[in-house]
């Protein structure tokens, strides 16, 4: 596999996009017709395709996934000083979206099975620190309202959505999914992104499908869908010629050029998913019986898009992990560790958090392997 790939294209990247569909035709159509910016038929088509793929009733395309998550949190009622529960084991955009929405990230633990938020540990923690009052779920230690929980489907593996949705209902906390990594992943046959008030997707260059840069908000609530569109299009009141804006909105609409690329990519999603599954099966087979490592397979009742293939070292050993990463990268394999945990970053180290000892162990055990769909075709 390695020899064949390196002969043809050099080092094996962690994740690379491929453009073998109608990308050129669609982008050329934007240029030829002059529809390159924030209006145009590809943006509408992109949204319609997302509804069809995910089963969500409404999709609103945005400039990137971070912007989508920021607006999702506003739609969930997050404002100045509110706390939002987020995993510490996530990409920076999850925590940053909370900051953009003027909230405070409150870091919670992840579990080994899904690599996402641990519902049982979170429940026990809330019992210890939170109390339900008329105005909502209050953190007794800080006095702030815990307004929302934003779990993330790590590397494409769905979190324990039943457990977390029940917890949110019990504690009157809004559920917003960071589904940036999980396009094509389902939980009990329902597409991720359909389990809370709203969800954010990303179409950044390294995601399973890319629009160059881009994102989307998914929701099944007509009012929230309309408000998502309003907020992301400068809160302009629709009118033939007047410019009336009725609140502080954002210029977050996805340009038609990006949507054109995105449409061509979405057409290929079923094929990408099949090939990524085939690649994951090959990795799983290759690591079967290898002592000291375990391939992270999709959780029960879930279908993962296997965006990034992951192996877990049996024991938390950062030195061993780094030696493995060194060796793989030396051989031309773009393997990577997990992200530095959010509560270790300078701007987030003083945020509230639960006991994260297990998450710290987990982080030291993760190695992500090259996962481009094209690798599935290697001999
Ligand atoms: C990619 C990603 C996002 C969104 O990133 P953008 O680059 O802003 O599109 C958000 N959360 C997670 C977990 C991601 O991996």
């Amino acid at each position: 596999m390695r020899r064949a790939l390196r002969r043809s294209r050099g080092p094996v990247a962690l994740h690379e996009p491929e453009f073998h569909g109608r990308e050129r035709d669609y982008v050329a159509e934007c240029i030829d017709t002059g529809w390159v910016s924030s209006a145009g038929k590809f943006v509408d088509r992109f949204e319609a395709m997302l509804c069809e793929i995910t089963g969500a009733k409404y999709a609103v395309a945005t400039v990137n996934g971070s912007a989508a998550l920021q607006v999702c949190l506003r739609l969930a009622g997050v404002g100045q000083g509110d706390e939002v529960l987020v995993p510490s084991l996530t990409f920076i955009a999850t925590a940053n979206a909370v900051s953009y929405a003027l909230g405070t990230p409150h870091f919670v633990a992840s579990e080994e099975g899904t690599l996402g938020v641990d519902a049982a540990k979170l429940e026990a923690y809330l019992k210890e620190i939170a109390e339900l009052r008329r105005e909502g779920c209050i953190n007794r230690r800080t006095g702030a309202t815990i307004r929302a929980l934003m779990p993330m489907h790590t590397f494409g593996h769905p979190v324990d959505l039943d457990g977390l949705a029940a917890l949110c209902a019990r504690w009157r906390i809004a559920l917003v999914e960071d589904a940036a990594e999980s396009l094509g992943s389902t939980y009990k046959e329902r597409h991720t992104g359909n389990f809370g008030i709203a969800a954010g997707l990303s179409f950044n260059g390294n995601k399973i499908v890319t629009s160059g840069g881009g994102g989307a908000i998914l929701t099944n609530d007509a009012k929230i869908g309309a408000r998502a569109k309003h907020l992301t299009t400068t809160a302009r009141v629709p009118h033939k010629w007047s410019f009336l804006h009725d609140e502080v909105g954002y210029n977050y609409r996805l340009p038609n050029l990006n949507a054109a690329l995105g449409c061509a990519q979405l057409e290929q999603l079923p094929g990408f998913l099949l090939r990524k599954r085939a690649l994951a099966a090959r990795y799983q087979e290759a690591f079967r019986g290898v002592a000291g490592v375990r391939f992270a397979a999709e959780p029960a009742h879930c279908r993962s898009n296997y965006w990034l293939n992951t192996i877990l070292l049996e024991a938390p050993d950062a030195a061993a992990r780094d030696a493995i990463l060194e060796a793989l990268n030396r051989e031309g394999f773009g393997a990577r560790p997990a992200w530095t945990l959010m509560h270790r970053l300078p701007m987030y180290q003083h945020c509230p958090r639960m006991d994260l000892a297990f998450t710290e162990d987990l982080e030291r055990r993760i190695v992500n392997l090259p996962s481009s769909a094209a690798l599935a075709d290697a001999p």
Side-chain angles (χ1 to χ4, degrees), residues 64-67 69 90-91 93-94 152 178 180-181 201-204 206-207 214-215 307 339:
N64 57 49
S66 305
L69 293 174
T90 188
F91 176 59
T94 318
M152 195 274 284
D178 179 344
E181 302 183 356
L201 304 179
S202 169
F203 302 97
N204 186 34
N206 66 347
K207 297 300 200 287
W307 172 55
W339 313 276

Side-chain angles (χ1 to χ4, degrees), residues 346-360:
M347 62 290 196
Y348 291 133
Q349 64 185 340
H350 301 297
C351 289
R353 61 174 193 247
M354 61 188 270
D355 175 25
L356 295 170
F358 182 76
T359 307
E360 290 176 352

Side-chain angles (χ1 to χ4, degrees), residues 122-141:
L122 181 54
E123 178 74 38
Y125 176 64
L126 288 176
K127 279 186 180 142
E128 190 187 314
I129 66 131
E131 103 189 17
L132 268 178
R133 294 199 203 135
R134 201 173 319 127
E135 58 275 31
C137 180
I138 306 298
N139 179 343
R140 276 193 272 108
R141 291 179 180 169

Side-chain angles (χ1 to χ4, degrees), residues 90-335:
T90 188
F91 176 59
I92 190 69
T94 318
N96 280 349
V98 177
S99 302
Y100 303 157
L102 308 179
T104 302
H106 184 152
F107 298 113
V108 303
S110 297
E111 60 178 1
E112 174 153 1
T114 63
L115 303 175
V117 173
D118 186 322
K121 275 191 193 158
L122 181 54
E123 178 74 38
Y125 176 64
L126 288 176
K127 279 186 180 142
E128 190 187 314
I129 66 131
E131 103 189 17
L132 268 178
R133 294 199 203 135
R134 201 173 319 127
E135 58 275 31
C137 180
I138 306 298
N139 179 343
R140 276 193 272 108
R141 291 179 180 169
T142 60
T145 304
I146 300 175
R147 192 73 68 190
L149 162 68
M150 186 157 65
M152 195 274 284
H153 305 294
T154 313
F155 310 138
H157 300 307
V159 284
D160 172 11
L161 282 161
D162 280 351
L164 293 176
L167 175 148
C168 284
R170 263 194 306 280
W171 290 94
R172 288 199 279 130
I173 293 172
L175 177 63
V176 170
E177 287 169 76
D178 179 344
E181 302 183 356
S182 68
L183 184 70
S185 299
T186 60
Y187 179 87
K188 297 191 174 168
E189 311 206 337
R190 206 164 156 217
H191 198 286
T192 50
N194 279 292
F195 293 79
I197 285 179
L201 304 179
S202 169
F203 302 97
N204 186 34
N206 66 347
K207 297 300 200 287
I208 188 162
V209 154
T210 186
S211 57
I217 298 165
L218 301 180
T219 183
N220 285 292
D221 182 301
K223 264 201 201 130
I224 289 175
R227 193 160 152 67
K229 176 80 183 279
H230 190 62
L231 278 175
T232 54
T233 53
T234 65
R236 184 176 174 195
V237 180
H239 190 277
K240 249 192 237 132
W241 39 260
S242 90
F243 282 92
L244 175 66
H245 306 260
D246 61 2
E247 62 180 308
V248 179
Y250 310 95
N251 176 18
Y252 281 176
R253 188 96 177 128
L254 182 72
N256 202 46
L257 260 179
N258 297 88
L261 194 69
C263 285
Q265 287 268 290
L266 285 180
E267 289 171 357
Q268 298 163 80
L269 177 64
F272 290 159
L273 287 169
L274 282 174
R275 284 155 75 221
K276 288 178 76 73
R277 251 193 122 64
L279 176 64
R282 286 178 75 173
Y283 273 131
Q284 184 157 24
E285 190 51 41
F287 284 104
R288 200 182 302 280
V290 176
V293 281
R294 187 173 71 72
F295 178 78
E298 62 197 356
H301 317 296
C302 295
R303 229 178 139 77
S304 175
N305 66 3
Y306 284 105
W307 172 55
L308 285 190
N309 288 289
T310 306
I311 49 172
L312 289 163
L313 310 184
E314 242 147 49
D317 185 343
R321 181 202 60 188
D322 290 352
I324 292 169
L325 288 170
E326 267 303 323
L328 286 172
N329 279 280
R330 200 165 47 233
E331 290 295 311
F333 282 102

